[in-house]
Amino acid sequence: AQKITQTQPGMFVQEKEAVTLDCTYDTSDPSYGLFWYKQPSSGEMIFLIYQGSYDQQNATEGRYSLNFQKARKSANLVISASQLGDSAMYFCAMIGERFSGAGSYQLTFGKGTKLSVIP
Amino acid sequence: DTEVTQTPKHLVMGMTNKKSLKCEQHMGHRAMYWYKQKAKKPPELMFVYSYEKLSINESVPSRFSPECPNSSLLNLHLHALQPEDSALYLCASSQDPSGGTYNEQFFGPGTRLTVL
């Protein structure tokens, strides 16, 4: 079975500083995808960044980058130059080939990390 | 249009009421999902529709009844709910899920449901 572990229930970061949110995963699938989503208090899940298991380079999207270490099974999210609007819950999630047989995909989510940006 | 819309935003209902949650997307996505999310927990998958057919039902009680009238619309019919069903209900959609592992799901803003 797939599993996502986020060990930091809550994190604080000073505005304009960088922060790393940890995510480790476990899967027996040879091919899988890793996602990070942001959920503000309003409730909407916002897609941030994606990393494929066969991607050679770490994914980057603006201020977000994913530190992918395949051998260690980790996919940490790095947010540079934190802003007050970054305060939210962050979820790491994955999809594997195992779930493609039903013709659809199931995201496995971690428990999330609540990030608070301090002015 | 890269948006998933959900109505209503908030819903309060009694245990004997019948209500429906609605979800709509115009991105041409062929997979649509319902998730339930309790406070401070990750979303839990309830149902998946693929090409307007129910593909996955995660052992959800029959008081929740999904419906996919067409490729753009997804409904969740509610009947005889319990107070523990109070939660945020999220709808999501994604492209054709039949190949590859990249399957970004676009989420709507959710419906906050309170069952009295």
Side-chain angles (χ1 to χ4, degrees):
Chain A
Q2 295 183 326
K3 186 177 180 182
I4 293 279
T5 302
Q6 294 180 255
T7 57
Q8 306 152 315
M11 290 277 288
F12 290 88
V13 63
Q14 204 74 36
E15 193 178 6
K16 300 181 183 177
E17 292 188 351
V19 62
T20 297
L21 305 184
D22 295 340
C23 172
T24 58
Y25 61 91
D26 191 20
T27 181
S28 56
D29 285 316
S31 178
Y32 50 88
L34 295 155
F35 302 80
W36 277 94
Y37 282 88
K38 171 185 177 181
Q39 188 176 38
S41 57
S42 58
E44 184 174 359
M45 296 282 283
I46 302 167
F47 166 75
L48 295 178
I49 196 166
Y50 165 82
Q51 180 82 43
S53 58
Y54 290 113
D55 292 343
Q56 296 296 314
Q57 293 187 328
N58 287 345
T60 59
E61 288 286 349
R63 294 187 298 112
Y64 304 107
S65 60
L66 200 152
N67 183 1
F68 181 49
Q69 298 186 46
K70 193 171 182 177
R72 298 179 63 180
K73 294 190 174 180
S74 73
N76 298 339
L77 177 70
V78 180
I79 305 175
S80 63
S82 297
Q83 301 172 357
L84 295 178
D86 294 334
S87 294
M89 186 71 99
Y90 288 80
F91 290 99
C92 181
M94 75 180 299
I95 282 177
E97 279 186 335
R98 181 185 304 271
F99 298 103
S100 65
S104 60
Y105 288 90
Q106 292 179 253
L107 277 171
T108 300
F109 284 93
K111 292 186 176 181
T113 296
K114 184 171 182 179
L115 178 67
S116 299
V117 180
I118 305 167
Chain B
D1 185 1
T2 58
E3 189 180 36
V4 177
T5 58
Q6 288 187 245
T7 55
K9 286 189 175 3
H10 301 273
L11 179 62
V12 179
M13 60 186 291
M15 289 189 285
T16 58
N17 291 157
K18 286 184 179 181
K19 296 286 184 182
S20 296
L21 309 184
K22 296 184 184 302
C23 174
E24 189 168 3
Q25 58 88 13
H26 295 288
M27 294 178 278
H29 290 170
R30 303 313 300 269
M32 297 186 77
Y33 311 75
W34 280 115
Y35 289 86
K36 173 183 177 181
Q37 187 179 24
K38 302 285 276 185
K40 300 183 180 180
K41 298 288 186 181
E44 298 174 2
L45 184 65
M46 299 175 72
F47 303 103
V48 181
Y49 273 82
S50 179
Y51 293 90
E52 294 113 71
K53 292 184 180 178
L54 185 61
S55 178
I56 293 177
N57 176 343
E58 288 289 353
S59 302
V60 179
S62 60
R63 57 186 184 268
F64 295 91
S65 175
E67 178 195 19
C68 190
N70 59 55
S71 60
S72 300
L73 293 174
L74 185 66
N75 298 322
L76 186 63
H77 303 296
L78 314 173
H79 173 56
L81 294 192
Q82 304 296 310
E84 59 265 28
D85 296 322
S86 298
L88 178 68
Y89 288 84
L90 292 163
C91 173
S93 70
S94 69
Q95 291 178 351
D96 180 357
S98 62
T101 56
Y102 181 87
N103 188 27
E104 176 190 340
Q105 293 184 16
F106 290 81
F107 284 81
T111 294
R112 291 194 185 275
L113 174 67
T114 302
V115 182
L116 302 176

